[in-house]
Amino acid sequence: MQENKFPFPGIPTTSDGAGAVVWVETHISQGACAYPITSSTTMGQGFQAEVANGKRNLWGEKLFFFEPESEHSSASVCEGFASAGGRITNFTSGQGLILMKEVLYTIAGKRLPVVFHIGARALTSHSLNVHAGHDDVMGVADCGWGIIFARNVQEVADLTLIAHRAAENSETPFLMVQDGFLTTHTIENVLLPEPELMKQFIDDPNKRLKNLMNPYFPLMSGVVQNQDSYMKGKIAQRYYYDKVPGAIKEAMETYYKLTGRKYDFIDAYKVEDAEYVVVGMGSFMETAMATVDYLREVEGLKVGALTVTVFAPFPGKQIVEALKHVKAFAVLERMDNPLAQSNPLTMSIKASFADAFIGSRGYPKIDRIPRIFSGAGGLGSRDVRPGDFIAIFKNMMRNDGKEKEFFVVGIKHELALEREYDPDVRPKGAFSMRGHSVGGYGSVTTNKIIATLLEDIFKLQVQAYPKYGSEKKGLPTTYYLTAGREKIRTHCELTHVEFVPMNDVNAFNLGNPLAGLRENGMIFIQSDKVDPKDVWSEIPSYAKKIIKDKKIKVYYLDTVKIAREVAPTPDLEQRMQGIVLLGIFLKVTPFREEYGLSEEDLFKGVEKSIRKYFGKRGEKVVQANLEAVKRGYYEVMEVPRELIEVTEVKAEFEI
């Protein structure tokens, strides 16, 4: 394979979805306007920080950022900026997107080719939830915007550029969608587009965009029209919309020639010979792909996964072509609208097959329609696991009349499909950590730094994400990290792990933190004790039995004491407890030895990663964090195996 086949292979690093958006938009846009709403807030914060630091875009212009009093107003500012010929973007989620809806129609009607970024979020339909759901996007799907969904951070970076090019070539606005928290806040490997690529792929806005306010080229925009005129203008808009599919295709093909990263309206994974297929959008489709590989390899089932990347314009013809041969397929959606004929993606696919069946022009000819199942899962970031996808496939295969044509996964309900089993679908040789901590202890940041370091130093594929919640500060929380030599596709909570750190001293009393811990695995316990006998004595009997039976190594240290001693200011003491864990992680995990890295080189890499996250806070903070890491590395202690083995333990109860 030719290494130089593609001129812009990308800049290897780690980022979350929000960071990828900020990287692209601060290079190609002239400004942004946003009102902060979870989970899109970090996009706006990142953009505003670059403005404050004096960053200029690729054409040397100072960036503009404005925060008005609401999401509706932020969309209106974008409308005005774009009307004057500027390239502007916006970041929003959930109710914020719905509040904008009135303005979204106007932006589309004026043919303003803006790109808005959505951290897709569940709506407050029965209770407040700030996590992932697609009902906000579907709530504005009729506004005349193109809609593109990304599954991971790489797709966020690449599809943002593709959306901008397609928008400006078709004079149509686009929504660039990623799952709230599950992508916006998940750290993964990414090849960031080079500035040279972006400048070549996206034109100078001053040359490319129309200024509707230019008196030398007057035109009519935003006027009142009555019965004699309104319909003419509305239907005339189809001239522009007819260009959108071709504009997307051209952008995707050009991007592939420049980068080698190929995109299409749909991604049909192992569908060619499949008998049963799962269809969906967003991050859980990568979990579906990993499950497909497992079922093919272990059970010999002919199954596949089809991801819809472009929801609008809807790729009905491509979907029919891909699925026309299967026995059945199931559409899983991250929303639920019980009063509709079906949920939005399912309804559009059913309509596409109906068009094909009656011989509509341009559709593949078919004489049968596969059986179509539909389901809801992942609402409000409810976990969607490999076992759920297995249950979906098995439900399609039933022939006893008890199959559920509409189903839900992940909860207990009469419509629910129960998991028969939940296999480990991580890449071979992957290493996973599930941490139990308290919100505000700095564990989330530490998890991100560990992921960054594993990529920087060991060139591993990583995925790190916390279990966020609006109520988490001061309360128990969980965070996850996986590293391996192959891409990590399991976008779900980790139940198969090799290391369990417990910064939360109450973790043993809140559940079984050792669940899913592998044989010969490791745990770390936050403890103010020095004598290992004292540490061991405080572990509940049920946990002692698991530790003894599975030959688990037990490490301990007083991270609170270290944080108190090295923190440069009192307000950092609590957060630096988590940073001490980075040193512990590097000491007890096998990465340094496996890669033959000296401690000197290791800590050079640690300093680089710490500077990435804390460099802007000053040298004093950087050095304090580095000292915390070193103390965790050198001072962590282990409960001797002899002590564990001589202890008589039995499970008094199971949690």
Side-chain angles (χ1 to χ4, degrees), residues 333 335-338 340-348 374-376 406:
E333 303 188 56
M335 66 157 294
D336 190 29
N337 181 8
Q341 191 279 333
S342 295
N343 282 328
L345 181 58
T346 305
M347 187 165 19
S348 296
S374 179
F406 181 82

Side-chain angles (χ1 to χ4, degrees), residues 33-36 66-77 99:
C33 184
Y35 183 83
F66 182 64
E67 179 186 321
E69 95 295 345
S70 73
E71 293 90 352
H72 183 280
S73 295
S74 75
S76 296
V77 172
L99 185 57

Side-chain angles (χ1 to χ4, degrees), residues 14 32 61 107 216 271 297 330 388 403 450 582 640 642 652-653:
T14 56
E61 299 171 299
I107 290 173
Y216 295 101
V271 170
E297 181 179 343
D388 294 320
E403 64 275 17
I450 292 173
L582 173 54
E642 305 80 54
E652 296 177 356
F653 59 90

Side-chain angles (χ1 to χ4, degrees), residues 33 101 105 109 150 166 168 205 342 349 480 518 536 575 590 637 655:
C33 184
K101 187 167 185 178
Y105 283 112
E168 293 177 6
S342 295
I349 294 175
Y480 308 93
R518 293 307 184 113
W536 182 243
R575 289 193 169 276
M637 296 170 280
I655 298 180

Side-chain angles (χ1 to χ4, degrees), residues 119-139:
R121 166 180 158 178
L123 293 176
T124 305
S125 55
H126 77 99
S127 61
L128 175 64
N129 180 280
V130 300
H131 299 281
H134 291 174
D135 31 355
D136 57 351
V137 179
M138 296 305 153

